[in-house]
Amino acid sequence: MKIREIQDEILQKKRENDIFVLAHSYQSREIIEIADFTGDSFQLSLAAKKAGSKKIVMCGVRFMAETVKILSPDKSVSLANPKAGCPMAEQHDKTLIQAVKDQYPDYTVVAYINTTAELKTVCDVCVTSSSAVKIVSKIPSGNILFLPDCNLGAYVANLLPEKNIKLLQGGCPIHAAVDAGDVDKARADYPDALLLVHPECVPEVTHLADFVGSTSAIAEYAVNSENKSFIIGTEISIAEHLRYRCRDKKFFCLSKKLLCPNMKITTLIDVLDCVNGDGGEEITLDEKTLNEARVCIDKMMELGA
Ligand code: 13P
Ligand code: SF4
């Protein structure tokens, strides 16, 4: 079967069954083409909430599908490929974080959205890469415990020196693999290009960047910039998608190490099986987890607005 034929079948099933397909911006081109909405993790949750459809299919990783379910508990939310997980989201467990909280009762626990629904139940407020600085700056307490991404946490701490931010060890193994040596090489190869990186990169990389932002913020920056070439310091698909969006500009990937296997595991066939009802996994969270995890997401909405 040709890619176009599979896409047409998916589009037809979506229409027949009123299914809304979400794709994170790290997904492949052929999936993005059939999605109803593509964006960063925060934008995906909002789009799902606003969507009229009762059935949502998430092409991304598990924590994204869980977040959609927490925000839209009455909708049926399926993860197109059940094996797609984010290793960072599973780095800390609830018991450990509860113990740390008990030890530091006057600290506000800030969780990056890349966490399991279970872990969110013991966190005070959630942040995304696009909202972290704004939200942490608005938290009344000066004492913050930030998890699980110590690189995003360090980026926030650098911009908000008035806050006492404790970081737990953790982070994205893909972004953390890139170092200053990769930046030096890319700058030497593409001297006219601006370097745009994700805050999940290590501080030695974010300090050298011309712009630091979420996947969507990086794309918007490149689209609106007068500059004609860019080194993209996040998952390789962003550089590829931008080449389609801006034919007059050049996009180079900061490093070949920036390939997230979990984001690439979902195929067009998985999406077809999922919309046909014989693939994917419907996300189920018990009432208690849904209600407790929603508290820190609601707080994120309130402070991020
Ligand atoms: P965004 O929130 O920027 O989409 O990032 C999600 C992610 O997993 C980045 O690696
Ligand atoms: Fe998780 Fe990193 Fe992959 Fe994003 S790129 S989904 S943070 S492993």
Side-chain angles (χ1 to χ4, degrees), residues 45-46 49 66-73 297-298 301:
S45 313
L46 288 187
K49 207 173 168 194
E66 285 187 350
T67 308
V68 169
K69 183 71 188 174
I70 294 164
L71 280 168
S72 307
I297 297 184
D298 284 348
M301 301 288 187

Side-chain angles (χ1 to χ4, degrees), residues 26 61 63 86-88 114 172-175 200 235 260 262-263:
Y26 289 164
V61 289
F63 80 82
C86 167
M88 163 162 36
N114 296 40
C172 166
I174 312 302
H175 286 82
E200 287 173 13
E235 219 275 344
C260 175
N262 278 284
M263 278 288 184

